[in-house]
Amino acid sequence: MRRDVELGPYMRFKKKYLEGVLSGKKHVTVRYGVVRPRFSLIFIVCCGEIYGEAVITRVYYTKLGRLGEDVVAAEGLHSRDDLVNELREIYGEVRDDDAVSVIFFTLVRRYEKPVPLSHLRGGRA
């Protein structure tokens, strides 16, 4: 399966990764397919709320099977199998020859209190 998408003004994270993102420990995310960011400044979103802002500093594309342990560790996971399982949970079946996007980012602003995502969408849920 080929997935080619644009990344809009926000990047979603699961709750279990949020603290790592907000503390600056997690600064890499692997996304399935070719994900092309439209903006360098993005909002960090989890569970329908915006928690801060980050700048995308680098993006590269590779095959899932070529990801190194350095990327897996920066992603906040213990093994490549953990990463594959996370991707499968979100996207279904994934294979080693499928394209992935490795997105590096730096947190530039952490909000004191999360803002509902509907505020970014002009009041639409």
Side-chain angles (χ1 to χ4, degrees):
M1 175 171 100
R2 175 141 170 98
R3 180 173 185 261
D4 195 340
V5 298
E6 284 190 343
L7 179 66
Y10 58 89
M11 199 159 41
R12 294 179 187 269
F13 290 91
K14 290 182 175 182
K15 191 166 188 82
K16 63 184 173 182
Y17 300 117
L18 184 61
E19 190 50 44
V21 170
L22 296 177
S23 70
K25 290 180 184 175
K26 179 176 171 58
H27 54 89
V28 173
T29 185
V30 176
R31 302 295 166 112
Y32 181 73
V34 175
V35 178
R36 292 186 175 85
R38 289 183 9 217
F39 307 96
S40 58
L41 180 67
I42 50 123
F43 295 99
I44 301 299
V45 174
C46 178
C47 305
E49 295 185 306
I50 306 167
Y51 284 83
E53 300 166 21
V55 172
I56 294 176
T57 57
R58 180 177 169 217
V59 179
Y60 75 87
Y61 309 100
T62 189
K63 301 289 183 184
L64 179 58
R66 293 186 189 152
L67 283 179
E69 290 300 319
D70 56 332
V71 172
V72 172
E75 178 52 281
L77 298 166
H78 300 292
S79 71
R80 194 177 162 290
D81 286 342
D82 289 344
L83 175 61
V84 170
N85 289 334
E86 284 290 319
L87 292 172
R88 282 187 178 142
E89 187 178 303
I90 297 167
Y91 303 105
E93 187 56 38
V94 296
R95 299 181 316 260
D96 278 348
D97 63 339
D98 287 338
V100 293
S101 301
V102 181
I103 303 171
F104 293 79
F105 59 91
T106 301
L107 186 73
V108 293
R109 184 174 175 198
R110 179 178 180 165
Y111 297 167
E112 222 175 276
K113 183 177 165 187
V115 176
L117 183 57
S118 60
H119 287 234
L120 178 64
R121 294 179 171 166
R124 293 178 288 135

